[in-house]
Amino acid sequence: MPEKVEKYLPVCVSLGPGDPELVTLKALRTLQKVEIIYCPATQSDGKTLSRAKDILDEIGIDTQKIRIFLVPMSKDRTLAEKVYSDIASEIAECYQTGRSVAFVAEGDSGFYSSVHYISDKLEEMDIAVQHIAGVPAFIACGALAGIHVVKQDERLSVFPSGTSAEEIMMEVEAGKSVVLMKLSQQKDTIKKAVEILSEAQFHYFENVGIAQKEFYTNNRNEIIQRLFPYFSLLIVKKD
Amino acid sequence: MPEKVEKYLPVCVSLGPGDPELVTLKALRTLQKVEIIYCPATQSDGKTLSRAKDILDEIGIDTQKIRIFLVPMSKDRTLAEKVYSDIASEIAECYQTGRSVAFVAEGDSGFYSSVHYISDKLEEMDIAVQHIAGVPAFIACGALAGIHVVKQDERLSVFPSGTSAEEIMMEVEAGKSVVLMKLSQQKDTIKKAVEILSEAQFHYFENVGIAQKEFYTNNRNEIIQRLFPYFSLLIVKKD
């Protein structure tokens, strides 16, 4: 009779927006405890970039147990999905053989994070996944600016892409707070909104949580002149 | 000449949804370091209730430095505003006399937290406040259910109150994820939405982050029978 293998459920650990100090106690404890950590990265100009790996390094996680996987950056999601499937299979094997394993996401894994697909694939294989919540980027942005993102009965709309200046205006005039993400994909829309929406406050952020790179302004002219890099975000509210 | 007093900026510390392990490293370190911590509580049937104080106890913060203040629970916000003003004055005095001080909020202080008003009052007195971001409740709910709250280009709408079943239906049919809060104030609306919106998933939560009290279901019949207590929340998505 084969020896019974003790099994550990895989854990999906959210790391927060970038500041290693915004990692939760639960995330840190889990990452210290597990044997293997799968960590996403991208490649650009031959360089491997991973904000998640940076956070793991900064909180002192043993590099030996970190397994980097590259996620293709493409509008066509087929390639990325293949990678997530492969990693899910590797994690499933860890689970079957009794090795404790985590996989990590920047921000929160359930909030616009593609790492969550690994979890979906594991669930399809009938392997339950534990999720550890993290601080999403827009919440860290609000804290940096010291603003109420939303208060009392205010409503919030989050638009990751594909909006128009007119739509942003309608939402703000209806009294909603609007979070705009993926600004690099909708530069013209954003600039037009900043121009036409005179009775709103615009809070613009870049690289929140990244030491030396963090930037915040609520000055319209400054916003219009920014380049809207990958990690940029806007919070718009009625004055 | 009077001796120069070294001054420490007040810190507004977000504690997360209730699970002491979802406190961030930065929050813990700050709370351990400061001399005084202002902590909100409410009174009900002669008992003082404070989820924030429970979290402080669970992460081992010295009770000696915690100063509880009672926030009146009333639709009329005048009484509560008076309390926040008084606490802001006390914090300002701490600042002037060189004592390091924090005040705490459940969830995230910029996300539907009235504790943020203390920060507003301090800013009016030209005292800058540092904010430490925390995990909001809806993010912890998504992690408990193991769902994508939002993914890819999906939009998110958060409604804290005053919505209608028809409005929820329109949002969900437009492909948005909807977070509904303060369910106790809109029981009939929610129950109607659960009945009429046949092509949606409903994820219902109570007391997420509170040991032994946490509850989650995505079963419609079960949801309709719940009492919608103060700490309840719904996430609605298209099937």
Side-chain angles (χ1 to χ4, degrees), chain B residues 59-169:
Chain B
I59 60 173
I61 300 301
D62 180 2
T63 304
Q64 299 285 321
K65 62 185 186 184
I66 300 173
R67 299 191 185 172
I68 297 288
F69 61 93
L70 288 177
V71 181
M73 295 288 274
S74 162
K75 271 276 173 200
D76 175 6
R77 303 304 296 158
T78 326
L79 291 169
E81 273 178 32
K82 170 82 172 67
V83 170
Y84 293 125
S85 275
D86 291 348
I87 299 301
S89 299
E90 288 190 32
I91 292 173
E93 204 194 315
C94 291
Y95 170 71
Q96 299 299 351
T97 54
R99 280 172 295 167
S100 58
V101 56
F103 52 106
V104 296
E106 295 160 16
D108 176 72
S109 72
F111 196 77
Y112 300 111
S113 168
S114 53
V115 166
H116 203 287
Y117 289 110
I118 296 174
S119 170
D120 300 345
K121 303 274 180 199
L122 287 162
E123 301 276 354
E124 282 167 26
M125 294 182 238
D126 283 326
I127 300 171
V129 176
Q130 191 202 329
H131 288 260
I132 298 177
V135 176
F138 82 96
I139 290 290
C141 290
L144 177 65
I147 58 169
H148 284 272
V149 176
V150 267
K151 64 182 171 193
Q152 302 268 45
D153 291 338
E154 283 175 357
R155 296 170 170 197
L156 175 73
S157 292
V158 183
F159 291 134
S161 64
T163 183
S164 67
E166 291 72 21
E167 191 173 27
I168 298 168
M169 192 164 78

Side-chain angles (χ1 to χ4, degrees), chain B:
Chain B
M1 209 173 90
E3 209 180 325
K4 196 171 181 300
V5 176
E6 190 172 355
K7 290 178 179 175
Y8 303 92
L9 288 181
V11 191
C12 178
V13 178
S14 304
L15 297 173
D19 181 347
E21 290 277 287
L22 285 182
V23 167
T24 66
L25 305 176
K26 198 171 195 167
L28 178 63
R29 188 174 47 79
T30 302
L31 294 167
Q32 286 170 336
K33 205 174 55 182
V34 296
E35 292 164 75
I36 300 162
I37 299 167
Y38 284 91
C39 174
T42 54
Q43 229 162 13
S44 176
D45 302 330
K47 274 195 291 190
T48 301
L49 305 171
S50 173
R51 185 187 276 213
K53 173 68 163 62
D54 294 343
I55 299 171
L56 295 178
D57 289 345
E58 284 166 305
I59 60 173
I61 300 301
D62 180 2
T63 304
Q64 299 285 321
K65 62 185 186 184
I66 300 173
R67 299 191 185 172
I68 297 288
F69 61 93
L70 288 177
V71 181
M73 295 288 274
S74 162
K75 271 276 173 200
D76 175 6
R77 303 304 296 158
T78 326
L79 291 169
E81 273 178 32
K82 170 82 172 67
V83 170
Y84 293 125
S85 275
D86 291 348
I87 299 301
S89 299
E90 288 190 32
I91 292 173
E93 204 194 315
C94 291
Y95 170 71
Q96 299 299 351
T97 54
R99 280 172 295 167
S100 58
V101 56
F103 52 106
V104 296
E106 295 160 16
D108 176 72
S109 72
F111 196 77
Y112 300 111
S113 168
S114 53
V115 166
H116 203 287
Y117 289 110
I118 296 174
S119 170
D120 300 345
K121 303 274 180 199
L122 287 162
E123 301 276 354
E124 282 167 26
M125 294 182 238
D126 283 326
I127 300 171
V129 176
Q130 191 202 329
H131 288 260
I132 298 177
V135 176
F138 82 96
I139 290 290
C141 290
L144 177 65
I147 58 169
H148 284 272
V149 176
V150 267
K151 64 182 171 193
Q152 302 268 45
D153 291 338
E154 283 175 357
R155 296 170 170 197
L156 175 73
S157 292
V158 183
F159 291 134
S161 64
T163 183
S164 67
E166 291 72 21
E167 191 173 27
I168 298 168
M169 192 164 78
M170 275 171 55
E171 299 281 297
V172 171
E173 284 182 352
K176 295 187 191 180
S177 291
V178 182
V179 171
L180 298 161
M181 301 167 65
K182 302 191 190 176
L183 304 186
S184 59
Q185 291 176 24
Q186 41 187 349
K187 288 184 190 181
D188 293 342
T189 297
I190 304 299
K191 292 187 181 184
K192 188 174 168 197
V194 175
E195 274 165 14
I196 64 174
L197 247 165
S198 58
E199 284 176 20
Q201 302 163 27
F202 287 83
H203 300 276
Y204 171 87
F205 307 88
E206 285 175 18
N207 294 304
V208 166
I210 315 292
Q212 272 89 53
K213 286 188 167 181
E214 207 167 65
F215 176 83
Y216 162 63
T217 183
N218 59 6
N219 177 299
R220 285 157 186 273
N221 294 331
E222 260 190 289
I223 296 171
I224 286 176
Q225 284 157 35
R226 301 303 292 186
L227 295 175
F228 297 175
Y230 188 72
F231 289 113
S232 58
L233 194 151
L234 255 179
I235 300 174
V236 194
K237 296 192 65 145
K238 209 167 193 169
D239 247 340

